[in-house]
Structures are given as C-alpha cells and as structure tokens.
C-alpha cells in the first residue's frame, strides 16, 4: 500500500507540467510597437524607449477606441500603464531597438479616453488544450507547446471568460486526453464546477512535421462542449521548428476570434446538462408535434469525410483545396496528410450526407471512388469527340 501511494504522489508531482497563465486581467493591450532611441548609456536608452512606447501605444489605443488619438503627459501615462511587454529587444552601449507591447489599466485609461470601462463577458469556459503529435494526444499529462501558447495569450480584450488551468496539482489526472473523449455529463459537471466554470472549450491542434528540421503544419479545430462540437477548422504552416511558437500564437488568436464570433451568433451557449441551475425542460409531446424544427426532413447535419487526391506538386494541393471549398455545402476543407508526388488526404466538413457530397463532387467534374467516410477523388478524364467519318466517294456515272 505504501509503495502504491508513493507511486501516485510521484505521478502527480513529478515532471515539468505546470504553465501558469501570463495575464488574465482585462487591461487594454497595444502590441507590436517598434522603438529605436539613443541615450547617454544603455539604461537611459532603454527607459527612453519604454516612454516612447507608452506614447505611441496610447495614441494607437485612442484611435482604436475612437477618442481622436490625442496624447497626455508622461506622468499621466506612468499612472495608467500597468506593464511593458518586451517582445524583442536589442540593447547597445547607448542605443535601444525593440518591439514592445503596452498594457493600460482599463479603469484609469477608460476615464481619460471617455469610453466605458465595463466589458460584457461570457459565462466562464474551462479551456482544455488538446495537442496531437506523432499520433499521441496530450493535454496536461506533460508540458506542451500548445498549453504554453494558451498560457501566453492575453485575454483582456476577449469577450470570452477563459478559465485556464495551470497543469499542476491534480490537473494531469483530472484533465487528460482520455477525459476529452468522454461525453458523460455527470463527471463533466463535477469537473467544470471544481474549476469555477460553466462549460468547456477544447481547442485542438494536430502537428505534422514534414521532415526533421523542415516545415511544420498545424491543423486547428475550435471545439466546445463534452460532445466535441466543431465550430471551425483551419490550417497554418511554418517553414521550420523555430517558427512553431509564432504559429501557435497566431492560431490561438484566430481561435479566440472564432469563439467570440460564435458567442455573438448564439452558437456558443452553456450546456444545460452541465449547469444544475439551468434545469432541462422537456416539451410535452402534444406541443412538440406542432413545431416545424422537429421535422426530421428539415434537420441539418454535418458529416466529416476524408478525401484522398493526387498531389504531383504543391500547386495541386492549393488548387484541390480551393476547388473542394467551392463545392456547395462544404464548410471546411484542409489537407491533413501531405505527400508530394503521391496521394494526400484532406478532411472535409459537409452540410448534408456523404451521398450528397459525392453527387456534388461529380457535378463539379470529379470522379469519386469508394465509400464514406473515405473517398478517392480525381479529375474525370475528358471524353474525346468521336473521329469524323471519312466522306464516301460518290458513285461513278
């Protein structure tokens, strides 16, 4: 028993898992400010660069919020700036070149800019970042670059109230890749309640490395709820491993935009099965029979199909993706397995049935082979016109 207990403690405490969120405040943020200043020494040049970044950042923030882009004194800026974020810097003996970000305290800056400091936020959503790489799924079992990207993301300007676990303590045992596959509402309700959330978001990335040190392709999905409902899927590519952090940061920014758009459109609501305060009300059968939305003929379903296609070169990849996205009913199409000179695979989301997708592809001139969920497509060979008949010689007279 003692050995067993010791093993459990080691499983929880061992390893380097935890990545705490950098910032969860609701400050105004202005990033990507470039400065190039000189001074009598390195410290003076750096301080001058930070002050210049504050001025430029306040002007940009003022213009963004429609306040006219005016400037205030350095003393006032010092009182409303909560922090300086160093994105990249080069320090010389008397010169400072950097790319900086500035965080402004929302309450104080809003008063100066004449805007409201209040910001509507969604119900709290538990963030469970799922990373798939080399066929292995990971959440908080160990530290991942995907978890680090979500920890770096500043949520101050987002309408989504993110609850981001640090990955320490019991997190690796409670929130693992196996839990993400379980639709059971009772256990999910216990989990989201323990983290002070109302529902769960599961942003997912699948990383594909073309060869060691070569390009890296990330296929990202905005998933939410215990049922893994997909809001949107997109693909990003970077030329080498050094660009992976920037690739993931851009993906997190886009996924946040997807979640905010879904929230505004009413697609991102809390699951009643996860919120005991919101009881599930069943509609009486006699009333439900009169509702047109219950007609199965009008129900809209989305199917996921894998299309295999020839890729003799890179142009064939982009061309085929564009052609498939143009098929009516296709909501997403992204290459997940790339084999230049061979056969690649593409994940396609289609509103309708697999047979309807087959018919839509054939109507666009594709030859479709196989059965769902995997179809092989290729351009149908052009039918050549029959040779013209040779004229018959007339009868001799």
């Amino acid at each position: 028993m003692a050995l067993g207990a010791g093993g459990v403690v080691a499983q929880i405490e061992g390893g380097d898992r935890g990545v705490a969120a950098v910032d969860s405040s609701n400050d105004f943020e202005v990033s990507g400010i470039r400065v190039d200043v000189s001074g009598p020494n390195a410290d003076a040049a750096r301080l001058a660069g930070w002050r210049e970044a504050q001025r430029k950042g306040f002007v940009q923030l003022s213009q963004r919020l429609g306040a006219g882009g005016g400037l205030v004194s350095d003393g006032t800026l010092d009182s409303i700036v909560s922090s300086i974020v160093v994105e990249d810097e080069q320090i010389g003996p008397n010169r400072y070149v950097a790319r900086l970000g500035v965080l402004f305290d929302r309450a104080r800056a809003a008063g100066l800019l004449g805007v409201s400091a209040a910001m509507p936020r969604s119900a709290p959503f538990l963030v469970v970042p799922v990373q798939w790489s080399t066929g292995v799924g990971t959440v908080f079992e160990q530290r991942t670059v995907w978890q680090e990207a979500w920890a770096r993301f500043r949520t101050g300007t987002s309408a989504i109230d993110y609850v981001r676990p640090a990955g320490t303590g019991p997190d690796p045992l409670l929130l693992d890749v196996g839990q993400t596959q379980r639709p059971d509402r009772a256990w999910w309700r216990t989990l989201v309640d323990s983290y002070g959330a109302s529902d769960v978001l599961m942003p997912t990335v699948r990383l594909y490395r073309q060869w060691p040190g070569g390009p890296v392709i990330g296929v990202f999905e905005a998933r939410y709820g215990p049922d893994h409902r997909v809001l949107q899927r997109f693909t990003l590519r970077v030329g080498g491993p050094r660009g992976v952090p920037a690739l993931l940061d851009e993906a997190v920014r886009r996924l946040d935009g997807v979640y905010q758009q879904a929230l505004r459109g009413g697609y991102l609501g809390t699951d009643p099965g996860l919120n005991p305060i919101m009881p599930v009300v069943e509609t009486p059968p006699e009333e439900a029979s009169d509702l047109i939305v219950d007609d199965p003929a009008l129900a809209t379903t989305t199917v996921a199909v894998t299309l295999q296609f020839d890729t003799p070169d890179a142009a064939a990849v982009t061309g085929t993706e564009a052609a498939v996205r143009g098929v009516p009913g296709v909501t997403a199409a992204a290459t997940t397995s790339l084999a230049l000179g061979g056969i690649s695979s593409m994940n396609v989301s289609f509103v309708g049935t697999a047979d309807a997708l087959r018919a839509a592809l054939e109507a666009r001139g594709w030859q479709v082979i196989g059965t769902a969920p995997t179809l092989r497509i290729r351009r149908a060979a052009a039918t050549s016109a029959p040779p013209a008949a040779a004229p018959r010689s007339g009868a001799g007279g």
Side-chain angles (χ1 to χ4, degrees):
M1 293 294 293
L3 290 176
V8 172
V9 172
Q11 183 179 4
I12 297 177
E13 297 182 352
D16 184 16
R17 295 189 181 92
V19 183
V22 173
D23 180 32
S24 297
S25 67
N26 61 347
D27 292 340
F28 290 121
E29 179 183 6
V30 181
S31 59
I33 303 173
R34 297 187 179 275
V35 297
D36 185 352
V37 298
S38 300
N41 53 59
D43 291 338
R46 192 183 199 198
L47 179 59
W50 286 11
R51 286 197 177 277
E52 181 176 341
Q54 291 181 173
R55 301 186 197 107
K56 290 183 176 180
F58 186 81
V59 170
Q60 293 182 26
L61 179 63
S62 178
Q63 294 173 345
R64 181 195 305 171
L65 299 179
L71 190 59
V72 296
S73 65
D74 286 339
T76 303
L77 289 175
D78 289 340
S79 66
I80 65 174
V81 171
S82 57
S83 61
I84 300 291
V85 181
V86 178
E87 299 174 0
D88 182 42
E89 66 178 1
Q90 300 177 33
I91 305 175
N94 55 6
R95 187 181 178 189
Y96 182 71
V97 180
R99 186 179 69 252
L100 305 173
V102 182
L103 299 182
F104 296 91
D105 182 87
R106 179 177 290 270
R108 297 178 181 178
L112 287 174
L113 297 171
V115 298
S116 175
M119 181 178 179
R121 304 296 291 271
S122 70
F125 283 90
L126 177 65
V127 180
V128 183
V130 183
Q131 173 181 311
W132 290 88
S133 181
T134 64
V136 178
T138 309
V139 181
F140 293 113
E141 295 88 337
Q142 61 183 7
R143 176 178 291 194
T144 66
V145 291
W146 190 223
Q147 182 194 357
E148 292 175 353
W150 276 97
R152 287 193 300 269
F153 179 60
R154 301 185 184 279
T155 61
T157 58
S158 176
I160 306 296
D161 185 4
Y162 294 105
V163 179
R164 296 177 288 180
T168 57
D171 294 346
L173 296 179
L174 297 176
L175 300 174
D176 57 8
V177 71
Q179 174 59 34
T180 64
Q181 310 297 323
R182 301 186 184 105
D184 179 58
R185 294 298 193 279
W187 183 237
W188 270 115
R189 184 186 305 120
T190 302
L191 284 180
V192 297
D193 286 348
S194 64
Y195 286 95
S198 299
D199 209 328
V200 58
L201 301 177
M202 287 182 278
T204 303
V205 59
R206 294 181 182 271
L207 295 176
Y208 300 93
R209 293 170 173 81
Q210 301 302 289
W211 59 81
V216 180
I217 298 175
V219 180
F220 302 91
E221 295 176 333
R223 294 179 175 267
Y224 80 101
D227 296 327
H228 272 246
R229 285 164 287 191
V230 180
L231 293 171
Q232 188 173 329
R233 181 187 294 112
F234 59 90
T235 303
L236 297 177
R237 175 189 175 101
V238 71
R242 291 186 178 181
V244 169
L247 174 81
L248 298 181
D249 289 342
E250 174 63 18
V252 171
R253 186 188 66 79
R254 292 195 186 187
L255 288 172
D256 173 65
V258 172
Y259 286 130
Q260 291 193 70
Q261 183 179 1
L263 179 67
R264 290 190 295 266
Y267 300 105
L268 192 63
T270 55
D271 191 325
L274 298 179
N275 193 343
I277 302 178
M278 300 172 58
V280 179
V281 180
E282 296 185 359
T283 306
E286 60 273 14
E287 297 182 8
S289 61
D290 297 331
L291 298 179
I292 192 171
V293 294
D294 287 342
D295 187 352
L298 301 179
T300 302
T301 59
T302 302
V303 295
V305 179
T306 300
L307 298 183
Q308 297 178 342
F309 60 102
D310 296 322
T311 49
D313 50 34
V317 179
T318 56
T320 305
E321 285 184 347
V324 172
R325 291 192 187 106
V327 175
V330 172
T331 60
T335 300
T336 57
S337 177
L338 181 62
L340 293 180
I343 299 175
S344 300
S345 297
M346 175 193 314
N347 283 349
V348 175
S349 297
F350 180 76
V351 179
T353 64
D355 291 337
L357 175 60
R358 173 191 291 271
L361 289 169
E362 291 175 344
R364 288 297 182 98
W366 294 95
Q367 181 184 2
V368 185
I369 306 171
T371 58
T374 302
L375 300 175
R376 175 77 164 87
I377 63 173
R378 61 173 57 143
R379 280 296 182 185
T383 304
S384 58
R392 292 178 296 176
S393 60

